[in-house]
Amino acid sequence: MYRQGDVLIVSVAEHAVPPHVTDAPGEPRDARGRMVLALGEVTGHAHAVTGPGRLVREPGPFGPMLLHLPEGGRVVHEEHAAIPLPKGWYRVVRQREYLPGAVRIVAD
Amino acid sequence: MRYADKWRAIAAATGPADRAAAEEGVRLAYGAAGLPAPDRIIWADSPLAGVNAVRALEAPGRSVRDDVRTRPWADERRRVHDELGPGGWTALWTGTGALLWDGTRALAERIRTGVVDALLEKAPDDAAGRAGEESRIRGVLLDAVLGQHDAAWLAAFDGRSDRLTGLARVAEHAGWWWPFEKAVVICERPLRLHRDEAGRLDNGDGPALVFPDGFALYAWRGMPVPAEFLRELTALTPERIRDEENAELRRVMLEYYGYDRYLAESGAQPVHRDETGILWRIALADDEDVVMVEVVNSTPEPDGSHRTYWLRVPPTTRTAREGVAWTFGMHADVYEPAVQT
């Protein structure tokens, strides 16, 4: 389990990854060729992963996003130290905040 | 993604319209729909002024929004969908329009609500009269082509459709517009747009969105607030916050004032402390308690300090770890990051 600011990256055992996810198309990469886990709408600062792999949007208990890094990778952000990630599958979780009657996403 | 970035900037563009380019776009869009160019192009300084201008039009002919916008979009969507197949279309939309959809739709809806509210200030007092007036205003707003706020759709078709070039040109250079057979009303873009990192309208020092004629929306982290309320924020005291009866406004006051300052000045005591952070509780009259976790950013700021921040968690939270774990949708006993930055 790795945390970079408002994003938590949780290791998932390969056998637990739903079969349809292993064949699902990955999210498009950004202009710099990175997989973007979370993007700041205004500053453009992003939690992003470099290197080979795939980011799959997946609703349900493993969602909203699963990250596959067959050779490992690094998650980077303009304001946080980079974190090296061993190879494997990960679940990507955005931090949220409680509001009475609602919940909202945190953006750092 | 390259189109998403371009259209994200267009959706948020401020400053004077390029009127010549926008008018050329209007004529291109009419031409693509097989219609003669409109006789008159009338500029308005905001969507509010646009609605008034539309209502004041004399003999504009019928609305041609369906011909100019809706039908070409539907046709192009079908064509691209057939060309790429369902999977290809989904991938295209995911990398373009979907990225911009929620933000631009929410902004357009806020503008609509603001226009309706502003125009209803002058409406008759009786309920039936107001309801009739509101439905007429909303009818005009529904007929608008959203210009820059059509960015999500246009991003998906950029580089793929000549037929939508006119619509795209207007969107790149102007705001909302209303196409009729013989006349077009077209709006300037905002002078200023302030949003927070999550893209929500947000400004504590003035309007979050303001058009050249002064039509403005005030918001704090996405929540609509009255203009006079913002003026009051700079002079807040803990007593004033405690006395505010509207729970939503009190929440805004707390955020503006700063939880840390409020905690210090109201003498709040930490409820629980562990290696993940500190749990605080503020009791509020006639409202659920505010329970927050105080956490320290692991990555130092450029000056070497560590930024402390507060996140509100459910009032049932008992420990700091439970609170931090909740913010990631986890139970306290499994939340254990190996590395944090």
Side-chain angles (χ1 to χ4, degrees), chain A residues 1-8 10 25-31 36 39-45 57 79-84 91 93-108, chain B residues 1-2 5 8 91 94-95 99-100 195-200 221 251 255 259 287-288 295 297 299-300 307 309-315 324-330 334-341:
Chain A
M1 188 180 298
Y2 306 84
R3 176 173 167 193
Q4 189 182 57
D6 55 5
V7 169
L8 190 71
V10 186
E27 293 286 298
R29 290 177 178 242
D30 73 356
V36 176
L39 175 70
E41 181 75 26
V42 175
T43 57
H45 291 176
R57 212 164 275 279
E79 294 164 5
H80 297 273
I83 302 177
R91 186 159 65 89
V93 186
R94 288 292 299 275
Q95 193 165 33
R96 60 182 177 164
E97 190 173 8
Y98 175 80
L99 280 179
V103 160
R104 70 177 170 192
I105 294 290
V106 172
D108 71 3
Chain B
M1 291 290 276
R2 70 191 167 113
D5 292 342
R8 178 178 282 116
T94 305
L99 301 168
L100 309 177
R195 294 177 301 158
D196 68 3
E197 182 61 9
R200 301 169 297 200
R221 297 191 185 164
R251 195 175 307 142
E255 288 194 3
Y259 290 123
D287 196 5
E288 61 183 280
V295 287
N297 222 343
T299 304
R307 188 164 67 100
Y309 63 101
W310 282 261
L311 294 176
R312 191 164 176 184
V313 294
V324 175
W326 181 89
T327 67
F328 288 111
M330 305 189 98
V334 290
Y335 178 74
E336 199 64 63
V339 183
Q340 292 194 71
T341 69

Side-chain angles (χ1 to χ4, degrees), chain B residues 21-286:
Chain B
E23 291 180 10
E24 187 207 342
V26 166
R27 285 189 286 271
L28 274 173
Y30 272 63
L35 297 168
D39 310 330
R40 287 171 284 158
I41 296 183
I42 298 144
W43 281 87
D45 277 343
S46 71
L48 171 66
V51 169
N52 286 331
V54 167
R55 297 179 83 179
L57 281 176
E58 284 179 20
R62 66 180 175 89
S63 166
V64 293
R65 181 174 177 270
D66 283 354
D67 311 66
V68 168
R69 190 202 82 147
T70 311
R71 205 167 305 128
W73 276 8
D75 291 349
E76 287 304 279
R77 185 191 176 282
R78 197 173 306 116
R79 184 182 63 77
V80 175
H81 185 276
D82 290 348
E83 195 177 293
L84 301 177
W89 167 260
T90 303
L92 171 65
W93 178 251
T94 305
T96 53
L99 301 168
L100 309 177
W101 180 254
D102 288 342
T104 49
R105 194 182 50 170
L107 181 57
E109 191 46 45
R110 279 296 309 282
I111 293 172
R112 278 191 204 102
T113 305
V115 170
V116 170
D117 290 347
L119 288 172
L120 280 182
E121 278 178 17
K122 295 176 201 138
D125 277 342
D126 69 293
R130 287 179 74 83
E133 177 67 355
E134 177 169 351
S135 109
R136 283 188 290 277
I137 298 164
R138 288 207 175 269
V140 175
L141 288 167
L142 281 178
D143 267 343
V145 182
L146 298 186
Q148 65 178 150
H149 299 142
D150 278 330
W153 269 106
L154 291 164
F157 293 110
D158 200 344
R160 297 184 170 274
S161 169
D162 293 340
R163 199 173 164 191
L164 303 179
T165 302
L167 287 169
R169 179 115 4 127
V170 182
E172 284 177 69
H173 298 290
W176 295 16
W177 56 294
W178 284 265
F180 296 91
E181 270 178 308
K182 295 180 180 151
V184 164
V185 171
I186 184 165
C187 297
E188 285 285 343
R189 296 183 296 203
L191 282 181
R192 291 194 301 279
L193 168 69
H194 300 276
R195 294 177 301 158
D196 68 3
E197 182 61 9
R200 301 169 297 200
L201 283 179
D202 176 48
N203 189 7
D205 299 321
L209 179 74
V210 60
F211 284 88
D213 62 352
F215 171 63
L217 299 177
Y218 292 80
W220 173 260
R221 297 191 185 164
M223 201 186 107
V225 294
E228 54 276 16
F229 173 78
L230 278 186
R231 282 193 281 278
E232 200 196 347
L233 285 182
T234 50
L236 280 178
T237 62
E239 294 71 38
R240 171 70 187 91
I241 296 171
R242 262 196 300 276
D243 291 344
E244 172 58 49
E245 289 179 1
N246 181 316
E248 286 205 318
L249 293 182
R250 185 165 53 206
R251 195 175 307 142
V252 176
M253 289 175 165
L254 270 172
E255 288 194 3
Y256 186 92
Y257 193 73
Y259 290 123
D260 48 344
R261 203 170 143 208
Y262 187 86
L263 289 169
E265 294 184 13
S266 63
Q269 293 296 313
V271 176
H272 181 260
R273 191 188 294 263
D274 60 31
E275 67 287 353
T276 65
I278 304 170
L279 190 74
W280 296 87
R281 177 179 294 269
I282 303 172
L284 295 175
D286 305 322

